[in-house]
């Protein structure tokens, strides 16, 4: 079963309190998501570290159940 | 696992730019790999595409090697740079070209 947008968003928010998460259903099939995550926790981290923080939030589902999550990370301005 | 790590170290050390991907640069087998190839083509650098679909050991081993869960994965001069999303972000910001220039990688 693919994960729903709200489910993905919920896991990211739980791991990164205060984060702004914008989910986009890329293909309209509920299986190909883009997530834009803006989190204060990203400050001072490299892009690789920022993306890893989101992957960690998704508890090992990235690359498995979530094979097609397009991710953008930003530090709040 | 020691063997596969040595194999990967060997692969990423042989060429300046190595892209672990699904399919080949001419026939990418997924959208993310296709996007990664397009970005590298646009940057005009020579790169080696490693098709993980042809080698299950590398397909699993590369994820542990870089501690990164998805493919494609870009390596420049033996260093992990990121996946296709990071490549796109860096490309759009001009940072990827800058990195490739700084590392003085071979041109295509």
């Amino acid at each position: 079963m693919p994960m729903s947008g709200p489910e993905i968003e919920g896991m990211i928010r739980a791991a990164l309190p205060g984060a702004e998460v914008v989910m986009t259903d890329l293909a309209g099939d509920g299986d190909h998501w883009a997530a834009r995550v803006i989190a204060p926790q990203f400050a001072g981290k490299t892009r690789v570290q920022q993306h890893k923080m989101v992957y960690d939030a998704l508890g090992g589902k990235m690359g498995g159940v979530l094979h097609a999550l397009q991710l953008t990370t930003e530090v709040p301005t | 696992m020691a063997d596969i790590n040595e194999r990967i170290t060997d692969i990423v050390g042989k060429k300046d730019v190595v892209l672990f991907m699904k399919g080949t640069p001419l026939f990418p087998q997924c959208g993310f790999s296709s996007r990664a190839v397009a970005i590298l083509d646009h940057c005009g650098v020579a790169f080696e595409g490693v098709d993980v679909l042809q080698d299950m050991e590398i397909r699993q081993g590369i994820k542990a090697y870089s501690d990164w869960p998805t493919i494609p994965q870009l390596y420049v001069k033996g260093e992990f740079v990121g996946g296709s999303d990071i490549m796109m972000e860096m490309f759009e910001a001009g940072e990827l070209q800058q990195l490739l220039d700084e590392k003085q990688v071979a041109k295509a």
Side-chain angles (χ1 to χ4, degrees):
Chain A
M1 271 297 286
M3 285 174 74
S4 72
E7 195 180 350
I8 297 167
E9 184 179 334
M11 288 180 85
I12 296 172
R13 279 185 198 281
L16 300 169
E20 188 184 325
V21 184
V22 182
M23 301 297 300
T24 310
D25 187 344
L26 291 175
D29 61 359
D31 193 26
H32 296 76
W33 293 99
R36 182 157 166 257
V37 183
I38 304 158
Q41 293 88 341
F42 292 155
K45 310 276 189 197
T46 65
R47 281 209 176 85
V48 166
Q49 287 169 336
Q50 293 175 8
H51 282 229
K52 266 187 185 159
M53 286 163 76
V54 177
Y55 291 162
D56 286 346
L58 296 167
K61 289 192 165 63
M62 194 64 201
V65 181
L66 269 176
H67 59 90
L69 177 69
Q70 189 177 314
L71 183 62
T72 317
T73 55
E74 275 173 53
V75 180
T77 48
Chain B
M1 280 310 279
D3 288 350
I4 182 62
N5 284 343
E6 278 171 30
R7 262 187 79 198
I8 292 171
T9 302
D10 195 47
I11 292 168
V12 299
K14 270 191 178 139
K15 287 272 163 63
D16 285 355
V17 182
V18 180
L19 182 70
F20 292 87
M21 60 181 291
K22 292 179 180 172
T24 65
L26 280 178
F27 294 102
Q29 297 292 316
C30 96
F32 293 95
S33 291
S34 180
R35 198 165 62 142
V37 167
I39 291 169
L40 291 176
D41 281 345
H42 201 92
C43 290
V45 293
F47 69 97
E48 172 96 359
V50 178
D51 183 1
V52 303
L53 299 178
Q54 301 300 322
D55 193 323
M56 279 312 288
E57 197 183 41
I58 286 184
R59 187 176 182 174
Q60 290 311 316
I62 191 66
K63 294 180 184 178
Y65 187 84
S66 50
D67 186 25
W68 192 258
T70 57
I71 290 159
Q73 296 188 10
L74 177 68
Y75 279 77
V76 175
K77 295 263 169 119
E79 275 177 43
F80 176 60
V81 175
S84 64
D85 292 332
I86 285 180
M87 287 174 70
M88 184 55 95
E89 286 182 67
M90 289 180 73
F91 177 66
E92 286 175 346
E95 293 167 16
L96 189 62
Q97 193 72 59
Q98 195 183 338
L99 173 81
L100 296 167
D101 291 346
E102 276 170 12
K103 298 267 185 180
Q104 299 182 321
V105 305
K107 297 283 176 195

